Amino acid sequence: MPDVVVVGGGPVGLLLAGELRLAGADPLVLEAADEPARQLRGLGLRGINGRTCQALRLRGLTGPLARAQEELFDRLAADQGPAGADQVRGLLRLLVEHRAKGHFGGLPLVEDQPDPLGTADQFLIKQHQLEQILVDWVTGLGVPLRSGCRVVDVVTEETEVRALLADGSSVSAAYLVGCDGGRSTVRKQARIGFPGTPATMTGRTAVAELADPGAVTASLHGPRGLLNLSLVPGEIATIEFDGGPDERDAPMTAAEMQASIRRVSGVDVTVTRLAGGVRYSDNTRQATTYRQGRVLLAGDAAHVHSPIGGQGLNLGLQDAMNLGWKLGLVVRGLAPEALLDTYTAERHPVGERVLRNTRAQVALMRPGAQVAALREVLGEALAVPATRHHFTAMVNGTDIDYAPGSAHPLTGRFAPPLELTGATPLPDLLRDGRAVLVDLTGSAQIRDAAEGHRVRTVTARCPAHDALAALLIRPDGYVAWATADANLTGLAEAFRIHGF
Ligand SMILES: Cc1cc2nc3c(=O)[nH]c(=O)nc-3n(C[C@H](O)[C@H](O)[C@H](O)COP(=O)(O)OP(=O)(O)OC[C@H]3O[C@@H](n4cnc5c(N)ncnc54)[C@H](O)[C@@H]3O)c2cc1C
């Protein structure tokens, strides 16, 4: 029997499974879909933001992401004419130089100088590329993945939870995590509330061909919506502010996409071929809790919102980083069960904030003279570095503080990129998912305090941070405890509550 059943082998389920494995648990991933369905779901591009990159760097996954991005951009450039290829290369340059930091409602967040914010990487890739990188990683860790397994019900018993599959079989485990996307069966079966606001817009992205692509503007933000033909060759995207999609399940047809392009552009184009498409909306909802006993939720199963601004995947991947080590330690009996409640306590407010900023971004994309004026005003404000950095931190998740008001300002924050002299670089120290106690003063007292705890203790110097004496870093890269001097108050408690 596995320790944890992860329902859904999308990006969030895969990362969670790997994190559970690193924490010493035995997860099993049950995935309903087959390979072609995955490729179709990955239409459009996915921005991997600053905080997610910092987190994935801890597991050595940013190298493969950089290679995937380069491959993708080579392909995108090759499929364009010379002007388009220059545009693609220009975007890649901004990413590689660490100057592109995403956008807010289509208003670019771009820096003049490389990386003034200390969050180096940002990637733009296809979702199936990310999923392949994660599949390779979890397979290497020995996590079993079972595809073609649709979970239809979840039954919680006193000592275990059972996933019932469509073929009539079942799998039991101590815990079950629903990473099964926005329409989560797990969430519904566990009767976890999902309040929010209904859709007001419909986005469509399709692999399609037009009889005369030159007849419409390649990138249009007009009075009836948005049209884009230029970002990914062969893909056409529209957004209409029409009250949300009437149809959610039926496969998209050429006639549907053609009608949408005609409405947005006002041009009578003809779609000659359509090889699949996806619809999305700004239906914005969040689970009332991310844990109900033995059942937990992560990723889109816990929160949905418009993809404008590119944050849903990032939010979910960071849920997985937060939950993985906690659930791994709890299921092995090494940490108190109360640690699991810190998952909702820490991640729910972060999700709430993303829901708020994506609603604001949808408002900014609407047609109309007033919104156009608002965009201009906000564009001016974003030219001011301090304002731009505030928005950049918000959409990149780099302003997250899990423990506001702590005794030390670093506690609750992601560990800063400390330049350690005499030790392995910090991200590499966390590669195997173990907590790290960094001692910057060579103190015997700190080493003694760590004796017998599940942490790697590292003694190093960090001349740039002479006001920092020691810090305890969780497996997800966040600081659990820090001190500016020899005072170790709070360290023993930090070991206890985190199960280190
Ligand atoms: C056009 C578009 C562009 C986007 N761009 C971005 C972006 O730039 N940045 C960003 O951060 N986000 C973006 N998003 C959002 C992002 O795609 C999602 O937030 C992300 O896919 C969520 O990952 P997940 O693993 O939680 O869910 P999913 O990717 O939905 O994966 C869920 C998995 O669970 C499986 N499953 C479902 N039900 C069951 C069941 N009953 N039993 C077993 N398995 C099941 C599914 O087959 C699937 O594999 C975009 C979305 C769209 C539509």
Side-chain angles (χ1 to χ4, degrees):
M1 175 171 122
D3 293 328
V4 180
V5 167
V6 176
V7 181
V12 174
L14 291 168
L15 183 61
L16 176 67
E19 290 298 299
L20 284 162
R21 190 74 203 101
L22 286 181
D26 281 325
L28 167 67
V29 180
L30 300 177
E31 165 57 44
D34 54 11
E35 193 52 32
R38 278 172 183 272
Q39 298 266 345
L40 187 57
R41 230 176 32 210
L43 289 182
L45 295 174
R46 299 292 183 272
I48 310 296
N49 74 19
R51 177 50 44 82
T52 306
C53 288
Q54 287 177 318
L56 296 179
R57 162 82 174 85
L58 302 181
R59 304 295 179 251
L61 294 171
T62 44
L65 283 172
R67 287 192 288 281
Q69 174 176 263
E70 212 176 300
E71 265 172 46
L72 173 68
F73 274 71
D74 279 351
R75 213 159 1 107
L76 294 182
D79 288 348
Q80 305 264 3
D86 278 353
Q87 234 180 344
V88 168
R89 285 195 206 97
L91 176 56
L92 180 61
R93 204 172 319 115
L94 287 178
L95 286 159
V96 172
E97 288 175 359
H98 303 147
R99 291 173 49 206
K101 301 289 176 190
H103 67 92
F104 191 83
L107 299 170
L109 298 167
V110 176
E111 295 297 328
D112 296 335
Q113 299 298 321
D115 199 31
L117 305 173
T119 52
D121 292 322
Q122 292 263 340
F123 297 109
L124 206 50
I125 56 168
K126 293 292 243 175
Q127 182 154 325
H128 64 82
Q129 291 181 297
L130 170 65
E131 289 183 9
Q132 191 54 55
I133 289 167
L134 292 171
V135 165
D136 293 345
W137 179 63
V138 294
T139 309
L141 291 171
V143 174
L145 309 176
R146 280 171 54 188
S147 58
C149 292
R150 177 168 296 281
V151 171
V152 292
D153 200 359
V154 174
V155 179
T156 304
E157 284 155 4
E158 203 178 319
T159 55
E160 60 182 40
V161 53
R162 205 151 29 97
L164 306 181
L165 309 191
D167 66 3
S169 65
S170 68
V171 182
S172 296
Y175 287 90
L176 178 146
V177 189
C179 300
D180 49 344
R183 299 191 208 173
S184 170
T185 301
V186 172
R187 186 188 66 236
K188 289 173 193 156
Q189 296 303 329
R191 295 200 163 71
I192 296 175
F194 203 45
T197 49
T200 67
M201 52 155 264
T202 307
R204 291 181 179 84
T205 301
V207 178
E209 280 169 21
L210 297 180
D212 181 5
V216 286
T217 315
S219 177
L220 175 82
H221 190 162
R224 287 171 295 271
L226 289 89
L227 170 69
N228 195 304
L229 271 67
S230 60
L231 206 51
V232 182
E235 290 185 14
I236 303 179
T238 59
I239 296 179
E240 295 178 77
F241 295 90
D242 57 357
D246 295 332
E247 179 53 73
R248 299 200 321 163
D249 296 317
M252 193 182 292
T253 61
E256 177 185 342
M257 196 63 199
Q258 175 175 295
S260 177
I261 300 169
R262 287 183 177 192
R263 283 191 298 271
V264 171
S265 66
V267 179
D268 274 350
V269 293
T270 303
V271 172
T272 49
R273 194 182 77 92
L274 185 134
V278 290
R279 302 179 195 90
Y280 58 87
S281 78
D282 61 338
N283 178 34
T284 303
R285 298 178 185 278
Q286 187 176 26
T288 47
T289 178
Y290 290 5
R291 177 189 178 208
Q292 195 160 90
R294 298 183 174 279
V295 177
L296 297 108
L297 301 174
D300 278 14
H303 37 69
V304 293
H305 52 79
S306 134
I308 294 171
Q311 290 170 88
L313 171 63
N314 289 286
L315 188 61
L317 292 173
Q318 291 170 45
D319 290 345
M321 288 296 290
N322 187 289
L323 177 60
W325 64 274
K326 293 176 180 175
L327 184 53
L329 293 180
V330 169
V331 82
R332 292 177 63 209
L334 301 175
E337 205 190 318
L339 184 61
L340 287 184
D341 293 324
T342 68
Y343 169 56
T344 298
E346 291 182 346
R347 294 303 299 167
H348 198 277
V350 174
E352 238 174 82
R353 203 154 171 253
V354 169
L355 262 56
R356 188 185 68 159
N357 89 50
T358 55
R359 282 190 178 107
Q361 294 192 63
V362 172
L364 267 179
M365 303 293 281
R366 287 180 180 284
Q370 289 78 6
V371 177
L374 180 61
R375 292 176 69 80
E376 276 181 36
V377 171
L378 186 58
E380 281 175 22
L382 291 177
V384 178
T387 313
R388 187 171 64 250
H389 295 167
H390 174 80
F391 277 78
T392 298
M394 182 166 58
V395 299
N396 280 274
T398 49
D399 54 4
I400 290 171
D401 183 356
Y402 288 145
S406 294
H408 192 283
L410 277 184
T411 304
R413 298 272 182 179
F414 198 80
L418 301 177
E419 297 276 338
L420 300 180
T421 309
T424 307
L426 195 50
D428 297 332
L429 286 170
L430 286 149
R431 177 71 57 93
D432 62 2
R434 259 178 87 188
V436 174
L437 179 64
V438 185
D439 164 20
L440 297 172
T441 59
S443 148
Q445 205 195 348
I446 290 179
R447 273 197 308 280
D448 290 351
E451 200 58 43
H453 290 284
R454 261 178 299 277
V455 293
R456 172 175 290 121
T457 306
V458 177
T459 303
R461 283 187 308 108
C462 184
H465 281 77
D466 54 3
L468 187 61
L471 70 167
L472 175 63
I473 306 172
R474 312 187 323 188
D476 60 357
Y478 283 82
V479 176
W481 169 89
T483 184
D485 50 38
N487 182 353
L488 301 191
T489 307
L491 179 58
E493 177 64 358
F495 283 141
R496 191 191 65 76
I497 59 176
H498 294 103
F500 299 151

